[in-house]
């Protein structure tokens, strides 16, 4: 079965410090990968998505960046954190388009989320 | 641009009651709609996904319906239990070429024993 891991679970960082959050997926190959942020009182905001190694698309211009060095690894980074970067960061995966429905028993493009990382910037 | 709205923002019901959570979307050209549950401080758990060609999906005590023409989806929870207390989120997926889910802000459900 597929599982998704995120670490760390919680992080407290000073303003101006760097950031690295990691997400890994097990039990699937070549998934779509996503980074979302959930801020207090706001809905989930898509930050980045990736359809393959080294392929990153940004949805929101900001001081964050993402990388996908391996097929099932997705990293969210920042060189200098801002107070506004505080929030709950969620990684998600989905089967890539084109896979036959039922290959894994999953419905095409259903997204599955990790446990999240709570980031507080002070 | 797709907008997804969930009303009410919070709902409190006594245990055992049947309830309906509402989700509306502005662009009816959706590819599918997904319902999630989020417990406090946790990630999202996928509950049901309805493809655009479907009218409803069922899983246990949960039934989700989709009416594209009216831009609405509902999540029906039968015989609610205290363990159902959580925030429920709906999200629309706008097409095979799109990789983005558009989320509502959720309905926080409290089931009172």
């Amino acid at each position: 079965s597929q599982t998704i891991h995120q670490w760390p679970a919680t992080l407290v960082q000073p303003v101006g410090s760097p950031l690295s959050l990691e997400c890994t997926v097990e039990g699937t190959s070549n998934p779509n990968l996503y980074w979302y942020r959930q801020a207090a009182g706001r809905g989930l905001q898509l930050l980045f998505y990736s359809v393959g190694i080294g392929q990153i698309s940004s949805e929101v211009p900001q001081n964050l960046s993402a990388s996908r060095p391996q097929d099932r690894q997705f990293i969210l980074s920042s060189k200098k954190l801002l107070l506004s970067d505080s929030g709950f960061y969620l990684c998600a995966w989905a089967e890539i388009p084109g896979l036959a429905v039922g290959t894994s028993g999953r419905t095409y493009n259903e997204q599955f989320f990790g446990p999240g990382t709570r980031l507080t910037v002070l | 641009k797709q907008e997804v709205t969930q009303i009410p923002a919070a709902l409190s019901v006594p245990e055992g009651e049947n309830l309906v959570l509402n989700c509306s979307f502005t662009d009816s050209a959706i590819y599918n709609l997904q319902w999630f549950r989020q417990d406090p401080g946790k990630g999202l758990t996928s509950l049901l996904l309805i493809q655009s060609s479907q009218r409803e999906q069922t899983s246990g005590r949960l039934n989700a319906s989709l009416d594209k023409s009216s831009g609405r989806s509902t999540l029906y929870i039968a015989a609610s239990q205290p363990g159902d207390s959580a925030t429920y989120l709906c999200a629309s997926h706008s097409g095979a070429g799109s990789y983005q889910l558009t989320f509502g802000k959720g309905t926080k459900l409290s089931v009172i024993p």
Side-chain angles (χ1 to χ4, degrees):
Chain A
S1 63
Q2 295 85 354
T3 56
I4 179 169
H5 304 279
Q6 287 187 246
W7 64 90
T10 60
L11 191 60
V12 180
Q13 292 285 94
V15 170
S17 64
L19 173 74
S20 181
L21 303 182
E22 188 165 345
C23 170
T24 59
V25 182
E26 297 176 354
T28 187
S29 296
N30 199 20
N32 284 349
L33 295 174
Y34 307 83
W35 277 112
Y36 290 88
R37 178 169 60 200
Q38 188 175 37
R42 302 180 63 182
L44 272 84
Q45 180 185 39
L46 179 65
L47 302 175
F48 302 94
Y49 67 86
S50 171
V51 300
I53 296 174
Q55 301 179 60
I56 308 295
S57 296
S58 173
E59 290 293 311
V60 182
Q62 58 213 325
N63 69 316
L64 299 173
S65 62
S67 62
R68 185 171 177 174
Q70 300 180 41
D71 180 42
R72 290 167 288 176
Q73 183 185 29
F74 206 21
I75 297 173
L76 183 69
S77 304
S78 174
K79 293 182 178 179
K80 288 186 178 182
L81 283 168
L82 306 173
L83 286 174
S84 59
D85 291 325
S86 293
F88 193 47
Y89 288 82
L90 290 158
C91 181
W93 72 274
E95 301 279 11
I96 61 170
L99 282 182
V101 173
T103 299
S104 61
R106 302 201 189 285
T107 304
Y108 165 65
N109 223 17
E110 185 173 4
Q111 289 193 19
F112 299 91
F113 283 74
T117 294
R118 174 72 60 188
L119 172 65
T120 302
V121 182
L122 301 175
Chain B
K1 179 182 176 182
Q2 179 74 282
E3 292 182 4
V4 178
T5 303
Q6 292 184 251
I7 296 173
L11 180 65
S12 183
V13 301
E15 181 178 1
E17 190 164 295
N18 303 326
L19 61 101
V20 174
L21 304 180
N22 296 298
C23 172
S24 61
F25 44 92
T26 55
D27 185 352
S28 62
I30 64 171
Y31 190 71
N32 59 45
L33 189 134
Q34 196 168 353
W35 281 93
F36 296 89
R37 167 187 174 137
Q38 186 176 30
D39 293 291
K42 305 294 185 182
L44 276 65
T45 300
S46 178
L47 297 174
L48 290 164
L49 182 144
I50 310 176
Q51 297 191 42
S52 61
S53 57
Q54 299 173 322
R55 299 269 312 169
E56 65 178 42
Q57 281 281 355
T58 298
S59 176
R61 294 183 294 108
L62 305 180
N63 176 278
S65 68
L66 176 64
D67 184 345
K68 288 177 57 180
S69 62
S70 66
R72 295 182 62 185
S73 177
T74 61
L75 179 67
Y76 174 82
I77 302 178
S80 59
Q81 303 171 358
D84 295 330
S85 298
T87 296
Y88 291 81
L89 298 148
C90 69
S92 71
H93 182 256
S94 296
S98 168
Y99 299 94
Q100 180 168 338
L101 285 178
T102 302
F103 281 84
K105 293 185 178 181
T107 295
K108 185 176 181 179
L109 173 66
S110 298
V111 180
I112 311 302

